[in-house]
Amino acid sequence: MDYEVLVQAYEKLEATTKRLEKTSILSDLLKKTDRKDLSMGCYLLQGLVFPKWDERKLGMSSMLILKTLQRATGTLKAKIENIWRKEGDLGKVAEILIKENKQQTLIQKKLTIEKVFETLQKLASLEGQGTVGRKVSLVAGLLTQANPKEAKFIVKTVLQELRVGTAEGTMRDAIVWAFLYKDIDYDRQANQLSAKREEYERKITCVQSAYDITSDFSKVAQIARESGEEGLKEIRLEIGKPFKVMLYQKAQDISDAFKTVGRPAAIEFKYDGIRLQIEKKKDKVILFTRRLEDVTRQFPDVVEAVNKSVKADEAILDAEAVGYDQKKGKYLPFQFISQRIKRKYNIEDMARKFPVEVNVFDIIYYNGKSLLSEKFENRRSILRKIINEKEKSIVLAKQLVTTDEKKAAAFYKKALMAGNEGIMFKKLDAAYRPGSRVGYGVKLKEISEEVDVVVVAAEWGEGKRSAWLSSFTVACKDGDKYSPIGKVSTGIKEKTEGVTYEKMTKLLKKQITSQKGKVVAINPEVVIEVGYEEIQKSPTYASGFALRFPRVLRLRQDKAPKEAITLEEIKTLFAKQKK
Ligand code: AMP
């Protein structure tokens, strides 16, 4: 298929914020895409050339794109920089330059999806001497064949800044519309669907579950097209490919927690560390974070511990790696070990300085068998059987099974005394549901007045702080967008669990999308945990609510923006608080 067809879809997607319209554009395109191009098309629609969890990177910075544009169009660097300054977006710059250039050249052969996709994939595989030059030539080659619009989207994809609004929910719905209905009439879609709500929801859940297991819409779309719902239900976990871990709701107090999960409940320590998916096949171990990043290289100590102590040919475990103080043996807050996630050098040193203990709390796959629909208590007994526990290396999460609120309260206290964040309550006969917050487990934490929010704007400071961003507008997740809910400017002290203005500035600077006076708009990427006194109704912020006396507690680089608190949850918190 011609790349141009995809570009037309990008443009239509860019032009609307309406979710149904986006779904319709996407599903139209998916339906038209032939078998050979479907997988590539799905990736490109999401601005990807590999599954989300794949480690491979294209490795092209803005500066390299600048060079590429020079090469492709023969324009002087100063001129390109000028246009860039004016437009603020290199995709747009590419469009302008190619347009100017094309007045002289005749369009040659049309670009295909395959050509673009394969060239971009190739970027990730280059290594060694001359890599930079070869990358520039490859992309410049594409740009000289591209029309202006194509050039714009190639550049945006290479820079991983596509942003046409193909969020997960929209992709999922589009696959349902395209492949799980014979004929869907979009104009009358709302009526049609409300008449068959249940059927529609079943199909949505089916695609969502397939995605939660594979984290790969290309694969899901192919299977949906070829073998429909039946095929999707057959999708199995595969070792080496991450899935989305199960999430937990918040409980207000102990009796509220029992109410959700039933009695007796399994109560566990809530360790404040890094969630790890541990995948083992013979002696090969792969580790993924909850954001599906491969961190195997960063945790050689965990790999070794798993190899030594997990007696299984094949297993997928769900665990929390928590840091501890080597002298006192007490657990340390997440912030101490968070630096290990992104670490590229001196990894062994870091492992020695910030050792972790792996606390395994679930098992999802064991020697060829998926345990997703097995009861939690049975999964736990498999864990007991196959893990050779070793303190400060790998252990099972501390657990108490009880019906008794007093015993639960004592266990809670014990958890806090040992330096944990709180406790988890889990339903004994529940299955494991990847990716969802179904209430099979709930968390109870010491301070409940804190929320994870996303930074969407900031202000440059005054005087001494003029090089730092120092006042942050934070937002909650509101459907496909992020709606502001307050401004935080206090709370960052020199030692607020490792958060400094400098660090915040460094992180946020990369996400700035525009600037007006001292205020910058920021791409919603960075999640922070904010404490507050109260939630109030407020006309000032788009969410309709404001956090009173907010303060920054810590960075949550382990969380994706879509994991931030939702507007719905804010409304519930507001209602509960009124009570
Ligand atoms: P939160 O990050 O506040 O949403 O709390 C849920 C997180 O607690 C999970 O994603 C895990 O990373 C972590 N956690 C710590 N201990 C446990 C446990 N015993 N069971 C499940 N999750 C745990």
Side-chain angles (χ1 to χ4, degrees):
M1 187 160 86
D2 289 339
Y3 185 59
E4 204 173 12
V5 181
L6 192 66
V7 167
Q8 284 159 2
Y10 286 146
E11 290 203 284
K12 285 195 220 154
L13 287 164
E14 257 186 341
T16 176
T17 53
K18 294 203 184 95
R19 170 131 176 210
L20 286 182
E21 223 170 298
K22 281 186 188 283
T23 313
S24 159
I25 299 163
L26 279 171
S27 78
D28 272 349
L29 185 81
L30 292 180
K31 272 206 289 200
K32 301 229 245 234
T33 311
D34 57 32
R35 195 154 183 253
K36 171 171 94 31
D37 290 330
L38 182 61
S39 165
M40 292 183 279
C42 270
Y43 284 128
L44 289 172
L45 275 173
Q46 300 168 84
L48 304 169
V49 287
F50 298 111
K52 256 200 182 130
W53 43 268
D54 199 300
E55 274 230 288
R56 284 169 288 180
K57 295 267 172 323
L58 306 191
M60 294 277 289
S61 62
S62 305
M63 284 305 146
L64 267 195
I65 290 292
L66 207 118
K67 240 193 201 148
T68 309
L69 287 170
Q70 268 175 278
R71 169 85 67 90
T73 64
T75 317
L76 289 175
K77 188 172 170 209
K79 180 176 171 192
I80 304 183
E81 282 173 337
N82 243 335
I83 307 178
W84 186 12
R85 222 167 286 131
K86 215 159 65 210
E87 298 293 335
D89 169 356
L90 277 172
K92 191 82 195 138
V93 179
E95 182 182 350
I96 295 171
L97 292 177
I98 297 289
K99 197 181 256 163
E100 284 180 1
N101 219 38
K102 281 286 139 67
Q103 283 155 3
Q104 297 113 34
T105 346
L106 276 173
I107 290 255
Q108 325 72 349
K109 234 173 73 192
K110 280 198 169 178
L111 275 178
T112 59
I113 287 191
E114 192 176 359
K115 169 84 184 169
V116 174
F117 186 83
E118 283 177 355
T119 310
L120 298 192
Q121 271 207 336
K122 211 181 276 166
L123 293 177
S125 65
L126 296 177
E127 36 186 337
Q129 251 193 350
T131 299
V132 169
R134 277 190 287 161
K135 284 187 175 175
V136 170
S137 315
L138 277 174
V139 181
L142 278 183
L143 294 180
T144 46
Q145 275 188 50
N147 68 33
K149 291 280 185 219
E150 289 174 337
K152 167 177 159 185
F153 289 104
I154 289 171
V155 164
K156 279 171 154 304
T157 308
V158 173
L159 286 173
Q160 312 215 287
E161 289 174 355
L162 184 68
R163 295 200 196 103
V164 291
T166 41
E168 270 174 33
T170 324
M171 277 304 284
R172 173 198 66 201
D173 296 359
I175 291 175
V176 171
W177 290 23
F179 305 130
L180 299 187
Y181 283 99
K182 288 251 149 22
D183 266 311
I184 195 162
D185 174 353
Y186 300 120
D187 298 329
R188 284 186 293 123
Q189 180 264 347
N191 289 338
Q192 267 188 342
L193 295 183
S194 64
K196 291 188 179 165
R197 194 82 232 165
E198 253 171 52
E199 183 189 354
Y200 184 59
E201 265 159 24
R202 188 193 70 227
K203 289 177 196 278
I204 295 274
T205 310
C206 181
V207 173
Q208 182 69 48
S209 316
Y211 180 65
D212 289 338
I213 293 175
T214 58
S215 302
D216 187 349
F217 276 126
S218 290
K219 186 166 180 186
V220 175
Q222 270 173 322
I223 295 176
R225 170 184 271 174
E226 268 152 41
S227 35
E229 279 181 78
E230 287 311 310
L232 291 172
K233 282 191 201 132
E234 290 292 309
I235 294 185
R236 295 282 170 264
L237 288 165
E238 273 175 68
I239 294 189
K241 300 188 177 159
F243 61 95
K244 298 226 263 162
V245 292
M246 182 156 75
L247 302 170
Y248 308 92
Q249 296 171 349
K250 250 185 197 166
Q252 285 308 106
D253 51 37
I254 289 177
S255 71
D256 181 39
F258 271 120
K259 225 180 275 158
T260 315
V261 304
R263 286 174 207 249
I267 309 179
E268 293 175 0
F269 280 8
K270 181 179 191 310
Y271 303 93
D272 185 16
I274 298 167
R275 182 129 182 208
L276 286 183
Q277 270 180 61
I278 303 174
E279 314 216 337
K280 176 179 190 295
K281 188 166 194 167
K282 296 270 160 53
D283 55 5
K284 187 168 165 54
V285 174
I286 312 176
L287 308 172
F288 293 105
T289 64
R290 63 191 276 167
R291 294 187 71 171
L292 316 183
E293 294 151 312
D294 184 334
V295 287
T296 315
R297 226 162 60 80
Q298 280 71 20
F299 292 91
D301 42 343
V302 174
V303 171
E304 194 188 327
V306 170
N307 265 329
K308 267 198 190 141
S309 308
V310 179
K311 292 177 291 174
D313 277 344
E314 292 179 324
I316 302 182
L317 310 174
D318 199 350
E320 187 89 354
V322 50
Y324 60 86
D325 183 322
Q326 275 159 305
K327 287 201 192 102
K328 297 184 195 131
K330 234 181 142 171
Y331 293 129
L332 292 172
F334 163 74
Q335 221 62 43
F336 282 83
I337 54 159
S338 65
Q339 1 173 5
R340 289 193 59 182
I341 303 179
K342 306 258 175 219
R343 196 70 180 201
K344 299 228 165 63
Y345 313 101
N346 300 333
I347 285 171
E348 301 283 345
D349 266 2
M350 285 296 277
R352 262 192 303 277
K353 237 196 215 142
F354 301 103
V356 294
E357 178 184 71
V358 182
N359 288 269
V360 185
F361 55 79
D362 221 323
I363 177 161
I364 292 97
Y365 188 89
Y366 174 53
N367 288 355
K369 187 168 178 261
S370 162
L371 303 176
L372 287 176
S373 37
E374 198 65 61
K375 289 179 183 169
F376 176 57
E377 54 189 343
N378 297 345
R379 302 201 301 274
R380 173 90 186 183
S381 40
I382 297 177
L383 280 181
R384 266 198 301 268
K385 204 174 73 191
I386 67 167
I387 295 184
N388 247 336
E389 290 188 88
K390 189 165 167 243
E391 287 286 313
K392 300 289 178 277
S393 166
I394 185 166
V395 292
L396 262 65
K398 286 259 172 329
Q399 194 189 71
L400 169 76
V401 176
T402 185
T403 49
D404 187 306
E405 291 197 11
K406 279 210 188 91
K407 283 194 182 140
F411 189 74
Y412 187 15
K413 201 163 156 201
K414 195 165 137 197
L416 296 178
M417 295 288 285
N420 296 298
E421 244 192 322
I423 45 177
M424 309 292 299
F425 282 70
K426 298 184 180 176
K427 195 171 161 61
L428 285 173
D429 59 358
Y432 189 104
R433 257 312 166 69
S436 44
R437 227 178 261 283
V438 270
Y440 290 167
V442 291
K443 55 194 179 194
L444 183 60
K445 288 208 237 180
E446 198 180 10
I447 356 161
S448 59
E449 276 85 23
E450 102 274 292
V451 284
D452 293 327
V453 285
V454 183
V455 182
V456 292
E459 258 173 64
W460 291 106
E462 304 272 346
K464 231 173 45 191
R465 289 197 186 146
S466 61
W468 293 342
L469 291 168
S470 57
S471 168
F472 313 100
T473 303
V474 294
C476 59
K477 188 164 170 5
D478 176 6
D480 274 349
K481 59 181 195 300
Y482 294 90
S483 296
I485 184 160
K487 225 185 214 181
V488 231
S489 44
T490 55
I492 304 184
K493 308 221 173 59
E494 272 312 301
K495 288 210 174 83
T496 307
E497 289 202 38
V499 190
T500 57
Y501 284 111
E502 204 178 342
K503 192 162 180 185
M504 288 288 284
T505 306
K506 214 167 135 200
L507 271 178
L508 293 170
K509 232 166 136 181
K510 291 187 227 149
Q511 306 295 343
I512 293 179
T513 52
S514 64
Q515 172 153 2
K516 233 188 207 162
K518 277 191 174 318
V519 181
V520 292
I522 287 177
N523 201 21
E525 268 299 323
V526 177
V527 180
I528 59 177
E529 189 177 304
V530 166
Y532 63 91
E533 301 266 307
E534 200 188 347
I535 296 173
Q536 299 174 312
K537 284 223 159 176
S538 161
T540 317
Y541 297 109
S543 63
F545 293 92
L547 300 174
R548 190 154 179 256
F549 300 130
R551 61 199 184 281
V552 179
L553 295 178
R554 52 188 187 160
L555 274 168
R556 292 299 309 247
Q557 278 174 284
D558 59 322
K559 287 207 169 179
K562 60 176 186 299
E563 289 182 81
I565 191 147
T566 62
L567 183 54
E568 283 311 306
E569 286 169 327
I570 292 281
K571 285 181 188 159
T572 315
L573 286 176
F574 179 72
K576 277 193 177 147
Q577 169 190 289
K578 266 176 50 186
K579 264 200 254 164

